[in-house]
Amino acid sequence: MKLTPGKLAGLKAVSDHRGVIAAAAMDQRGSLQKSLAKERGAAADAHDLEEFKILVTSVLTKHATGILLDPEFGLPASKHRNGKGLFLAYEKTGYDATTPGRLPDLLDLWSVRRLKEAGADCIKILLYYTPFEKSPVNDLKQAWVERIGDECIAHDIPFFLELVGYDAHGGEEKSLEYAKKKPEVTSGSMAEFGKARYNVDVLKVEVPVEMAFVEGTKSFKGEKAYTRAEALQHFRDAATMTHKPFIYLSAGVSNPVFIETLELAVESGTTFNGVLCGRATWKDGIAIYAKQGAKAFEDWLNTTGVENITNVNNALKNAHSWHDKVDSKG
């Protein structure tokens, strides 16, 4: 994979000196608004979202290589990122639940050109995907990703594709049944979008197991989908599906669960290239912001939030450089 000058500069902007991505994610919109409203017992508005994102960004980017924000509520926060790299999200939040297949959509008033003009070093897209979905649905999604890949080439900016699996038959993603399918969902998605035709630069992926169902871990809840040895093999199998750089997402789990997940990834020997970690660092501060206000949340971020992201950074000491997977010379 040969990198053009713009793509190389963008990747360097969001990485440390080793070529490891240790970035924070704060592009939640609909889910964050609902969580704030639930904790407060009253509506959360655009000001709340903007202020929450500013506080997270100003504190956590002191300990991160970059920050993922959305252009809808996150642009004020992008001015408080302590000189670190900026990812901007290009997709609308959530998906249309009335249409089967969790189809994606782009933000109406944005383009790659406009996101780059707004200061983006990299473009991020989230796609709900499973290889087990009906072909017409996956054909739509594949064409959609091709268009975005070509748009990022035209503007010489890195394209990060975030893949989130789901049950094509409508089952619950936190169930034992789905946990057993998850390795194939993750591996199959990485194999598909690692293909050259999509022009993805970095895959942002889920780990291929559901930690609550991994026997022999601290996260284990009692129902087994895999032994620890099988889980380690699933990590290795998924990693072999692509030659592209890939990073892990935290998928809303707690900080201790995410740390144990990264320890398992390291133990398995996968050549993952970092993380884009959101809720595992700041999720527990939602109730504090909603009930006690901005100052209390800022204090929490400066103590517990910093502790959380430091835990993640320590777990990344054995992550691998993306430079090993790309041709970045000339």
Side-chain angles (χ1 to χ4, degrees):
M1 188 173 129
K2 189 164 174 62
L3 286 181
T4 52
K7 285 182 179 274
L8 180 59
L11 282 180
K12 283 183 172 175
V14 297
S15 309
D16 67 13
H17 65 281
R18 299 179 296 157
V20 170
I21 296 162
M26 186 63 263
D27 65 326
Q28 284 75 6
R29 288 154 275 175
S31 61
L32 177 61
Q33 195 163 10
K34 283 180 195 149
S35 298
L36 287 170
K38 183 182 172 190
E39 292 294 344
R40 182 182 284 165
D45 59 16
H47 169 75
D48 292 317
L49 291 181
E50 288 184 4
E51 185 173 57
F52 191 95
K53 288 168 186 285
I54 287 170
L55 291 168
V56 168
T57 303
S58 61
V59 174
L60 295 188
T61 51
K62 292 172 189 165
H63 310 274
T65 62
I67 182 85
L68 166 61
L69 293 164
D70 58 280
E72 293 173 286
F73 305 103
L75 290 182
S78 73
K79 309 288 188 287
H80 299 265
R81 63 182 199 270
N82 294 297
K84 303 299 174 61
L86 177 64
F87 304 80
L88 284 178
Y90 189 14
E91 82 283 347
K92 287 182 180 174
T93 187
Y95 53 88
D96 182 357
T98 61
T99 309
R102 303 197 186 187
L103 297 179
D105 201 1
L106 294 176
L107 292 167
D108 293 332
L109 299 178
W110 290 91
S111 61
V112 170
R113 179 191 293 272
R114 291 180 178 200
L115 292 169
K116 192 172 180 180
E117 286 170 350
D121 295 298
C122 303
I123 303 297
K124 190 277 305 189
I125 287 287
L126 184 149
L127 178 69
Y128 289 96
Y129 192 85
T130 170
F132 301 108
E133 186 55 270
K134 296 178 186 72
S135 292
V137 171
N138 280 352
D139 283 345
L140 278 172
K141 292 179 179 180
Q142 289 161 13
W144 187 75
V145 174
E146 287 166 12
R147 285 196 288 271
I148 298 159
D150 288 346
E151 200 181 350
C152 289
I153 283 180
H155 293 284
D156 200 13
I157 190 168
F159 176 20
F160 280 64
L161 177 63
E162 177 178 358
L163 295 164
V164 176
Y166 65 96
D167 189 329
H169 304 293
E172 170 54 53
E173 275 86 53
K174 297 293 177 197
S175 69
L176 174 66
E177 188 185 357
Y178 182 73
K180 290 174 179 175
K181 291 180 193 168
K182 189 176 181 183
E184 286 185 272
V185 172
T186 306
S187 292
S189 301
M190 289 174 73
E192 180 60 43
F193 292 102
K195 292 176 183 173
R197 65 183 296 115
Y198 297 106
N199 294 302
V200 172
D201 296 294
V202 179
L203 291 165
K204 180 187 176 190
V205 300
E206 297 178 291
V207 296
V209 296
E210 201 59 53
M211 289 296 288
F213 299 99
V214 182
E215 190 180 47
T217 63
K218 295 193 288 270
S219 308
F220 184 53
K221 296 279 177 60
E223 277 190 299
K224 183 183 84 171
Y226 358 74
T227 64
R228 187 185 180 88
E230 286 167 345
L232 289 167
Q233 192 57 46
H234 287 316
F235 272 90
R236 293 182 200 110
D237 290 344
T240 64
M241 291 294 161
T242 183
H243 297 295
K244 301 261 183 186
F246 68 92
I247 59 176
Y248 291 126
L249 56 98
S250 59
V253 300
S254 68
N255 191 260
V257 171
F258 191 51
I259 299 310
E260 189 176 25
T261 308
L262 293 176
E263 288 167 354
L264 214 56
V266 169
E267 188 184 333
S268 74
T270 70
T271 57
F272 76 103
N273 306 109
V275 296
L276 247 170
C277 173
R279 288 166 289 178
T281 49
W282 50 257
K283 178 174 69 169
D284 293 342
I286 290 174
I288 291 161
Y289 176 83
K291 293 170 181 169
Q292 298 174 46
K295 180 67 176 75
F297 179 47
E298 187 175 15
D299 291 343
W300 180 90
L301 282 167
N302 274 306
T303 51
T304 308
V306 168
E307 190 181 311
N308 287 343
I309 199 167
T310 302
N311 291 340
V312 174
N313 288 339
N314 288 336
L316 291 177
K317 283 177 180 166
N318 292 303
H320 291 250
S321 173
W322 52 258
H323 289 283
D324 299 339
K325 297 179 180 177
V326 301
D327 177 1
S328 53
K329 297 176 183 68

